């Protein structure tokens, strides 16, 4: 039996998927395999390239600087996301009042920082957070008599990063929560209030369960983004170093420094893999927890 | 409860709601206002006044102390016009390349049956969870071998058909491209490629718009890749140029803020024009994993 | 000049080892200028067959011929067909005019020719010029289907394919479009193949009806022939509304006369003398189980009939009486079988009333309960 032609020539689907396959093979799969190979090498460019086995990993595990970077990154991610989530949910609740006027203007304003890339936020923050002369301390001082010499950019870099990240991301998360809240069944809420549920009970028993899948998902993507934080501390510190006692050192910043300042791509790849394992296990954990919930 | 006191509490609650939202707006907008003002201040006034310099002009502001010097300096002493062009070029070509190729891939996965489709879909889903920093070092090596370092090719080629774009377009096309329209087009005599341009892309136009915007934004705000890949200052986009300005001219706050303003103003303009697409795009764009 | 021939047509959605047959090797000759309706329950393979004729679906084996020319390897656009879809399939981003002109533009017709064709087609279909500039979504369902029809006509194809084109329309638009398509067939003198699950559409529109079930053709004939002489219980039950009543029983010889006796535990089972002609036809089935098929309009209330003597065992109890306006559907129960009878509109019945039935046995059908085939 001869091979019959279809309504669509058989090469057509492959033509459409080809850009993805080629790009994936060359710029994702190949580097991914290379990154595994690189972890076993100490490589300062083509001139100096040695096989070191698992030494990169064992070196990292005994590298105090890496642990500082990891601790900073985790601290930043957990605190920042921990504040962002309730804050953005709260804002979304305020925005979801049916009688609210000017909702789109509020949304526009609160969302707008999401447009500004963290590189620009970092550059702005390097000035805004300066002690004595910075905008933040001046405003806080005039409002609350706050210490104008509070050293945001040195010893207290972590809270400064967290504040900057809140500014960047809270409005963005709020959009998600607002969309989720608008899916809450109004009839269900009305039925509950007829059954005598107060606002708090309605929130706990109707609103919260409905938005839970979205909340879980937003938490995940925020955690993933926060654990890869780089530009913010890098530019807040004006690319000089990682701050006093490495207080601004994050995992990706350390990866960048070892790979592109020092030039050891092998060590950088090993750091990359540790980060990747962290992020992938987070995704897997999320899938486990959210099994059966659709987003 | 008496009806009167009930309406009073209700009004109080409403007032509090508005007050809290206004506070949130104030907090988000203050840094923008500060930036706007700072970019027009002379260096001697930069830190002397938190916002506008006080004086006896209109509204108690010393308007004469404001200046355009910062802007003229970044365009004359530095080559910011060139950086703007670079950013516009990089962001628009990334957006166009990425959108067309991602839409093609999404179309194949959503609307054709072919051998290996499920496997490729598996690749797309797996690729979604590979974190970008992991590929920085080997990607750099690869570009070195391909002689693509210090070239826009090294930034544009990896932007072809990213997995999450393919995934987004697949979802969009599953939902909004009915099979009967494709059938109808085939009977009408439309070839497959023609059909993609004339029928399929218009059908997912909201997604195309949103995705164009998020890839444009992503490229505009991208720092780490161009920072690593580009060496020649003539090729720098705004993000890298501004970062080097920050190190080279540490105390030139006026120039730095003017540069930042110039860098984010085009985005703000785009945003005001295309608010809806932006919000739907940014929220869908984050639908990773 | 376009006949459509299906030869051993098979659609296999599985593979050679585990076949999943949607169409199981059908043969059919659709004559030139014929209006052929494919009808059957969902999943019977009628749409798959149509899509294979259109070339939208791969043919697993067998042949599709148009004008005697084998079409298996011909792309849909080169088969000289047009298709109208259930959901209209109008390009939502193109104006009505552009929708109708699309195929012509793709075939590089001169602009003036396109314009002339679109305008004249629109005029015959009653699409107003003002509507030509609008987008499809601004039109009602009926208007959209009119445009879809126009898009098909504009190309003057040899064969029109309709895939349940009226299913998404409301009852009123459906009736008017039904007439519209029938008129169109008279005027265009083209071959039309029409797929529907609605037996009313099949009966009213088809010159011939092809009844399909489970991937096979059950019966092909003119509408009244199918209605009056269904080849099996499936066709008998599918065509006609309310459907034909089936009564299980057997044919006994009582006092030298053939008599149908209902299977009924009650002592008051239905019994009918079946008359000489039917008696001869069912000779071989004497004392064997059979199924009696009787259409609702062939059941009468004895009281409303003139003459004829009452006989015993012909009572059924009224469950529901549904006045439809022009007629009344009477839902009855004999104790073992539910029955539907079509009564005059002014007849009134009480629930649980016993009705003395008479049946026009000249119009009765007998079926083999095992195979379902007509006797």
């Amino acid at each position: 039996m001869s091979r019959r032609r279809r309504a669509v020539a058989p090469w057509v689907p492959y033509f459409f998927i080809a850009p993805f396959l080629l790009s994936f093979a060359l710029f994702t799969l190949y580097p991914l395999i290379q990154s595994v190979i690189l972890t076993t090498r100490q490589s300062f460019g083509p001139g100096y390239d040695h096989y070191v086995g698992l030494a990169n990993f064992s070196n990292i595990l005994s590298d105090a600087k890496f642990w500082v970077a990891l601790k900073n990154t985790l601290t930043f991610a957990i605190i920042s996301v921990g504040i962002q989530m309730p804050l953005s949910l709260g804002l979304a609740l305020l925005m979801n009042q049916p009688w609210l006027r000017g909702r789109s203007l509020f949304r526009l304003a609160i969302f707008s920082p999401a447009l500004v890339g963290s590189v620009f936020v970092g550059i702005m923050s390097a000035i805004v957070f300066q002690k004595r002369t910075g905008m933040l301390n001046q405003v806080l001082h005039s409002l609350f008599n706050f210490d104008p010499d509070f050293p945001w950019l040195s010893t207290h870099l972590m809270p400064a990063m967290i504040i900057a990240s809140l500014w960047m991301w809270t409005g963005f998360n709020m959009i998600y929560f607002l969309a989720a809240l608008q899916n809450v069944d109004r009839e269900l809420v009305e039925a509950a209030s007829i059954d005598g549920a107060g606002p708090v009970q309605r929130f706990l028993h109707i609103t919260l369960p409905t938005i839970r899948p979205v909340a879980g998902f937003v938490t995940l993507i925020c955690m993933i983004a926060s654990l890869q934080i780089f530009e913010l501390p890098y530019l807040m510190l004006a690319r000089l170093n990682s701050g006093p006692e490495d207080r601004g050192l994050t995992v990706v910043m350390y990866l960048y420094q070892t790979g592109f300042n020092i030039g050891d791509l092998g060590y950088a790849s090993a750091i990359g893999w540790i980060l990747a394992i962290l992020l992938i296990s987070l995704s897997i954990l999320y899938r486990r927890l959210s099994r059966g919930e659709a987003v | 409860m008496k009806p009167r006191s009930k309406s009073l509490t209700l009004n109080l609650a409403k007032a509090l709601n508005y007050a809290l939202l206004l506070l949130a707006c104030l907090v988000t907008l203050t840094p923008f206002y500060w930036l706007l003002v700072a970019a027009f201040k002379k260096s001697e006034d930069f830190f002397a006044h938190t916002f506008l310099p006080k004086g006896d002009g209109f509204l108690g502001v010393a308007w004469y102390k404001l200046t355009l010097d910062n802007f003229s300096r970044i365009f004359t002493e530095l080559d910011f016009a060139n950086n703007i062009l670079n950013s516009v070029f990089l962001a628009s070509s990334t957006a166009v390349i990425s959108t067309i190729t991602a839409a093609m891939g999404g179309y194949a996965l959503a609307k054709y049956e072919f051998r290996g489709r499920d496997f490729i879909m598996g690749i797309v889903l797996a690729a979604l969870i590979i974190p970008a920093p992991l590929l920085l070092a080997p990607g750099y090596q690869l570009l070195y071998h391909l002689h693509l370092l210090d070239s826009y090719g090294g930034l544009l080629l990896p932007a072809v058909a990213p997995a999450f774009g393919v995934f987004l377009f697949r979802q969009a096309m599953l939902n909004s491209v009915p099979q009967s329209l494709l059938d109808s087009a085939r009977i009408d005599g439309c070839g497959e490629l023609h059909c993609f341009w004339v029928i399929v892309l218009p059908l997912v136009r909201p997604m195309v718009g949103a995705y164009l915007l998020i890839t444009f934004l992503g490229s505009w705000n991208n720092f780490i890749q161009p920072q690593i890949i580009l060496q020649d200052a003539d090729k720098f986009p705004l993000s890298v140029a501004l970062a080097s300005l920050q190190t080279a001219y540490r105390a030139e706050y006026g120039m730095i803020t003017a540069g930042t303003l110039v860098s984010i103003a085009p985005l703000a303009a785009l945003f005001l024009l295309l608010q809806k697409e932006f919000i739907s795009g940014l929220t869908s764009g984050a639908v990773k994993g | 000049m376009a006949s459509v021939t299906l030869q051993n047509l098979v659609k296999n959605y599985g593979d050679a080892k585990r076949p999943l047959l949607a169409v199981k090797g059908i043969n059919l000759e659709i004559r030139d200028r014929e209006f052929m309706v494919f009808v059957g329950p969902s999943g019977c393979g009628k749409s798959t067959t149509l899509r294979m004729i259109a070339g939208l679906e791969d043919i697993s084996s067998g042949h599709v011929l148009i004008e005697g020319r084998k079409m298996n390897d011909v792309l849909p656009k080169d088969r000289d067909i047009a298709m109208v879809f259930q959901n209209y399939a109008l390009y939502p981003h193109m104006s009505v005019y552009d929708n109708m002109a699309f195929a012509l533009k793709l075939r590089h017709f001169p602009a003036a020719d396109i314009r002339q064709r679109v305008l004249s087609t629109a005029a015959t279909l009653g699409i107003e010029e003002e509507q030509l500039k609008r987008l499809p979504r601004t039109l009602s369902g009926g208007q959209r289907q009119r445009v879809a029809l126009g898009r098909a006509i504009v190309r003057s194809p040899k064969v029109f394919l309709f895939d349940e084109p009226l299913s998404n329309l409301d009852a009123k638009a459906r009736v008017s479009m039904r007439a519209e398509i029938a008129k169109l067939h008279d005027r265009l003198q083209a071959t039309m193949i029409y797929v529907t699950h609605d037996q009313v559409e099949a009966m009213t529109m088809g010159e011939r009806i092809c009844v399909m079930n489970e991937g096979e053709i059950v019966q092909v004939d003119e509408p009244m022939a199918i209605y009056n002489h269904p080849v099996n219980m499936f066709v008998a039950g599918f065509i006609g509304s309310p459907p034909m009543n089936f009564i299980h029983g057997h044919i006994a010889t009582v006092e030298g006369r053939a008599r149908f006796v209902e299977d009924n535990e009650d002592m008051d089972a239905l019994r009918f003398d079946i008359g000489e002609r039917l008696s001869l036809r069912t000779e071989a089935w004497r004392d064997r189980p059979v199924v009696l098929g009787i259409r609702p309009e062939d059941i009468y209330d004895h009281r409303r009939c003139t003459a004829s003597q009452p006989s015993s065992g012909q009572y059924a109890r009224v469950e529901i009486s549904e006045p439809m306006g022009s007629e009344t559907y009477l839902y009855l129960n004999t104790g073992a079988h539910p029955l539907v009878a079509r009564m005059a509109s002014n007849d009134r019945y009480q629930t649980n009333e016993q009705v003395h039935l008479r049946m026009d046995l000249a119009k009765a059908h007998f079926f083999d309960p095992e195979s379902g085939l007509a006797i």
Side-chain angles (χ1 to χ4, degrees):
Chain A
M1 194 167 68
S2 68
R3 187 82 207 105
R4 291 201 164 79
R5 202 163 62 177
R6 296 148 186 268
V8 174
W11 57 267
V12 169
Y14 298 101
F15 169 82
F16 281 110
I17 198 71
F20 167 73
L21 286 179
L22 292 175
S23 166
F24 174 80
L26 187 58
F27 293 107
T28 305
L29 188 60
Y30 176 76
L32 195 67
I33 295 165
Q34 281 300 310
S35 77
V36 179
I37 297 168
L38 269 173
T39 56
T40 66
R41 310 197 75 85
Q42 191 176 40
S43 160
F44 296 94
Y48 182 92
D49 192 349
H50 288 285
Y51 178 78
V52 293
L54 290 175
N56 277 329
F57 284 104
S58 58
N59 286 345
I60 288 174
L61 294 182
S62 56
D63 180 348
K65 235 181 147 173
F66 172 76
W67 288 107
V68 170
L70 187 64
K71 195 196 87 191
N72 285 341
T73 309
L74 287 173
T75 312
F76 168 78
I78 290 167
I79 298 181
S80 172
V81 175
I83 302 175
Q84 269 175 59
M85 289 303 123
L87 195 59
S88 45
L89 175 59
L91 282 173
L93 285 170
L94 295 178
M95 295 268 289
N96 195 40
Q97 301 295 352
W99 43 261
L100 190 77
R101 282 158 181 260
R103 183 179 289 113
S104 53
L105 274 181
F106 282 123
R107 193 176 61 175
L108 186 71
I110 297 175
F111 175 80
S112 56
L115 295 175
V116 186
S118 45
V119 48
F120 303 115
V121 177
I123 289 170
M124 280 166 76
S125 301
I127 305 172
V128 167
F129 282 98
Q130 285 185 358
K131 60 181 178 184
R132 188 152 289 261
T133 49
M135 184 266 278
L136 183 69
N137 276 3
Q138 290 190 351
V139 169
L140 289 179
H141 178 70
S142 59
L143 288 177
F144 309 109
N145 206 18
F146 187 81
D147 175 10
D149 286 323
F150 191 84
W152 294 108
L153 291 177
S154 54
T155 45
H156 291 79
L157 191 70
M158 182 58 70
M161 278 166 62
I162 291 168
I163 292 173
S165 71
L166 290 180
W167 183 74
M168 265 197 298
W169 288 331
T170 305
F172 178 68
N173 298 333
M174 180 198 72
I175 299 287
Y176 272 101
F177 282 119
L178 192 56
L181 285 174
Q182 281 163 354
N183 283 335
V184 175
D185 189 349
R186 286 227 178 269
E187 286 185 10
L188 212 58
V189 177
E190 281 162 10
S193 37
I194 289 167
D195 288 344
V200 176
Q201 286 164 313
R202 288 202 300 263
F203 176 75
L204 287 179
H205 296 296
I206 294 167
T207 313
L208 214 51
T210 321
I211 61 169
R212 224 184 63 147
V214 175
F217 178 73
V218 177
T219 311
L220 175 78
I221 56 167
C222 272
M223 279 304 284
I224 289 178
S226 303
L227 290 171
Q228 299 182 43
I229 189 87
F230 163 69
E231 282 96 339
L232 197 59
Y234 184 71
L235 290 150
M236 279 172 88
L237 294 165
R239 323 206 296 170
L240 288 181
N241 46 39
S242 23
E245 298 157 40
D246 292 329
R247 278 173 201 234
L249 187 69
T250 65
V251 173
V252 177
M253 203 201 285
Y254 194 42
L255 185 157
Y256 179 86
Q257 287 179 351
T258 51
F260 300 96
N261 291 352
I262 301 170
D264 186 349
L265 293 180
Y267 202 76
S269 290
I271 296 175
W273 267 105
I274 292 176
L275 178 70
I277 289 164
L278 186 68
L279 295 177
I280 290 169
S281 15
L282 207 62
S283 294
I284 293 171
L285 180 73
Y286 163 78
R287 293 219 173 136
R288 282 275 158 81
L289 291 177
S290 68
R291 196 177 290 162
E293 282 177 1
V295 175
Chain B
M1 216 189 279
K2 283 183 226 156
R4 199 161 162 211
S5 70
K6 190 181 171 189
S7 77
L8 186 69
T9 26
L10 197 67
N11 281 334
L12 272 177
K14 283 189 183 183
L16 184 66
N17 198 320
Y18 277 111
L20 286 172
L21 282 176
L22 284 172
L23 180 68
C25 291
L26 196 67
V27 172
T28 24
L29 296 180
T30 304
F32 286 122
Y33 174 63
W34 167 83
L35 179 71
L36 182 68
V37 171
F40 290 93
K41 282 199 280 196
K42 293 178 180 160
S43 54
E44 61 265 31
D45 295 322
F46 196 86
F47 289 126
H49 307 276
T50 314
F51 297 104
L52 285 168
K54 290 185 185 62
D56 43 15
F58 185 58
L59 293 172
V61 173
W63 296 105
Y64 68 90
K65 288 188 173 172
L66 297 182
T67 173
L68 286 171
D69 279 359
N70 297 322
F71 294 97
S72 61
R73 285 185 66 198
I74 57 172
F75 286 110
T76 52
E77 290 176 34
L78 302 169
D79 204 2
F80 246 62
N82 185 37
N83 299 130
I84 293 174
L85 285 180
N86 292 343
S87 271
V88 169
F89 171 76
L90 273 174
S92 1
S93 26
T94 305
V96 171
I97 292 171
S98 176
T99 304
I100 293 173
T101 50
M104 284 170 67
Y107 179 51
L109 291 176
K111 288 290 157 188
Y112 287 110
E113 294 201 4
F114 54 97
R115 191 182 290 269
R117 184 181 71 170
D118 293 347
F119 178 70
I120 296 175
M121 190 59 209
I123 294 180
V124 171
L125 291 176
L128 286 177
I129 59 170
I130 298 172
L134 175 59
L135 303 181
L136 277 180
Y140 178 82
Q141 256 196 345
L142 173 67
L143 294 178
Y144 170 80
H145 290 304
L146 294 174
H147 302 289
L148 285 172
L149 284 182
D150 200 24
S151 83
Y152 286 161
L155 287 168
L156 293 178
L157 284 177
V160 166
F164 96 95
V166 172
F167 179 77
L168 284 181
F169 273 104
R170 172 181 174 268
Q171 301 306 95
M173 283 168 182
L174 279 179
N175 294 330
S176 48
V177 181
Q179 185 60 40
S180 63
L181 274 187
L182 303 177
D183 289 342
S184 188
R186 276 171 200 148
I187 291 176
D188 276 347
C190 207
E192 298 299 313
L193 305 188
H194 192 186
C195 189
F196 176 71
W197 278 110
V198 182
I199 310 288
V200 175
L201 281 185
L203 283 175
V204 291
R205 223 184 76 160
M207 186 71 227
V208 171
Y211 190 76
L212 273 172
L213 282 172
I214 53 166
T215 41
F216 184 92
L217 189 69
S219 167
W220 189 276
N221 287 335
N222 191 3
F223 171 71
I224 193 162
Q225 267 93 6
Q227 164 82 4
I228 290 171
I229 293 166
L230 302 177
Q231 280 132 27
D232 181 357
D234 281 349
K235 300 196 179 93
F236 285 173
L238 285 165
S239 57
V240 179
L242 202 63
S244 28
L245 170 64
Q246 189 202 30
T247 20
Y249 295 74
R250 279 196 67 72
E252 292 285 3
Y253 296 113
M255 278 167 78
I256 296 172
T257 46
T260 312
L261 188 62
V262 165
S263 304
I264 65 178
L267 295 183
L270 261 185
F271 178 52
L272 288 175
L273 279 176
L274 306 164
Q275 228 197 104
K276 259 193 196 139
E277 286 83 354
F278 246 110
I279 287 178
S280 76
L282 281 180
T283 42
S284 67
V287 182
K288 272 179 128 181
Chain C
M1 308 303 115
S3 60
V4 176
T5 312
L6 312 180
Q7 293 175 346
N8 297 318
L9 197 62
V10 173
K11 178 67 195 181
N12 184 357
Y13 281 114
D15 48 34
K17 279 179 226 141
R18 265 172 304 149
L20 194 70
L21 295 175
V23 177
K24 300 175 181 168
I26 60 173
N27 287 290
L28 183 68
E29 166 86 34
I30 298 158
R31 300 176 202 124
D32 180 31
R33 298 176 191 181
E34 184 169 35
F35 198 114
M36 172 66 86
V37 177
F38 282 77
V39 69
S42 64
C44 72
K46 57 189 192 298
S47 280
T48 309
T49 305
L50 191 76
R51 292 173 61 80
M52 284 194 282
I53 297 173
L56 296 170
E57 203 82 55
D58 213 9
I59 294 170
S60 305
S61 74
H63 304 295
V64 168
L65 285 76
I66 297 179
E67 289 187 295
R69 199 159 76 87
K70 206 172 120 188
M71 284 291 149
N72 295 35
D73 291 347
V74 178
L75 287 176
K77 66 185 170 87
D78 300 323
R79 295 189 182 197
D80 205 358
I81 52 167
M83 189 155 165
V84 179
F85 295 84
Q86 177 175 354
N87 61 4
Y88 325 126
L90 296 175
Y91 310 119
H93 54 290
M94 295 184 195
S95 70
V96 166
Y97 181 92
D98 288 336
N99 262 282
M100 290 171 70
F102 187 58
L104 300 177
K105 282 183 191 160
L106 289 171
R107 286 172 170 73
H108 305 293
F109 277 60
D113 191 14
I114 294 177
R115 187 166 174 74
Q116 191 267 323
R117 278 179 180 237
V118 171
L119 290 182
S120 74
T121 308
T124 54
L125 285 171
I127 300 168
E128 288 158 33
E129 273 211 62
E130 173 269 331
Q131 291 177 328
L132 288 175
K133 296 186 199 89
R134 285 164 49 177
L135 289 179
R137 68 163 169 272
T138 63
L139 304 179
S140 72
Q143 288 169 323
R144 281 187 228 184
Q145 199 54 294
R146 223 168 268 270
V147 174
L149 214 53
R151 182 176 62 178
I153 296 168
V154 144
R155 284 169 39 204
S156 26
K158 291 200 196 88
V159 182
F160 283 87
L161 307 175
F162 296 90
D163 191 3
E164 309 233 6
L166 308 184
S167 299
N168 282 7
L169 299 181
D170 60 55
K172 206 175 150 202
R174 199 177 302 173
V175 172
S176 74
M177 282 302 286
R178 216 155 69 191
E180 192 81 52
I181 293 173
K183 268 196 307 196
L184 214 59
H185 178 243
D186 288 343
R187 197 164 55 76
L188 297 174
Q189 292 291 311
T191 311
M192 293 190 172
I193 305 176
Y194 189 103
V195 162
T196 180
H197 66 273
D198 179 353
Q199 53 90 23
V200 177
E201 277 174 31
M203 288 295 292
T204 52
M205 303 178 76
E207 287 175 340
R208 281 199 299 161
I209 297 177
C210 171
V211 185
M212 287 188 73
N213 191 30
E214 294 179 352
E216 284 168 344
I217 293 179
V218 187
Q219 188 172 6
V220 184
D221 214 329
E222 287 166 15
M224 282 322 285
I226 289 200
Y227 190 78
N228 292 328
H229 306 289
V231 295
N232 64 13
M233 284 174 73
F234 172 78
V235 177
F238 193 80
I239 302 287
S241 173
M244 184 184 278
N245 298 294
F246 294 119
I247 307 169
H248 290 259
H250 62 275
I251 294 168
T253 317
V254 182
E255 296 158 11
R257 282 188 302 195
R259 167 173 278 198
F260 174 81
V261 182
E262 182 196 16
D263 285 345
N264 192 339
E265 302 288 299
D266 285 358
M267 44 211 162
D268 213 18
L270 291 179
R271 288 159 219 271
F272 296 101
D273 287 347
I274 58 175
E276 204 162 326
R277 200 171 55 82
L278 280 177
S279 169
L280 278 173
R281 201 184 338 149
T282 55
E283 194 75 63
W285 293 81
R286 212 47 50 88
D287 295 321
R288 283 168 60 187
V290 293
V291 176
L292 169 76
I294 185 93
R295 294 213 180 266
E297 60 268 33
D298 299 328
I299 300 179
Y300 302 94
D301 179 349
H302 180 74
R303 282 174 295 168
R304 306 286 191 270
C305 300
T306 50
S308 190
Q309 67 280 41
S311 54
S312 64
Q314 296 174 13
Y315 286 91
R317 187 175 54 79
V318 175
E319 292 199 315
I320 306 166
S321 150
E322 280 186 353
M324 306 296 290
S326 60
E327 58 207 4
T328 298
Y329 293 157
L330 204 55
Y331 292 83
L332 302 157
N333 202 311
T334 67
H337 293 97
L339 294 179
V340 189
R342 181 178 283 175
M343 300 299 181
S345 62
N346 48 0
D347 294 351
R348 289 286 173 273
Y349 293 89
Q350 301 296 317
T351 301
N352 285 332
E353 183 182 341
Q354 291 287 328
V355 180
H356 187 182
L357 300 177
R358 287 189 49 198
M359 297 189 183
D360 184 354
L361 288 176
K363 292 184 182 161
H365 305 264
F366 285 100
F367 301 98
D368 175 356
E370 306 239 312
S371 66
L373 291 176
I375 294 168

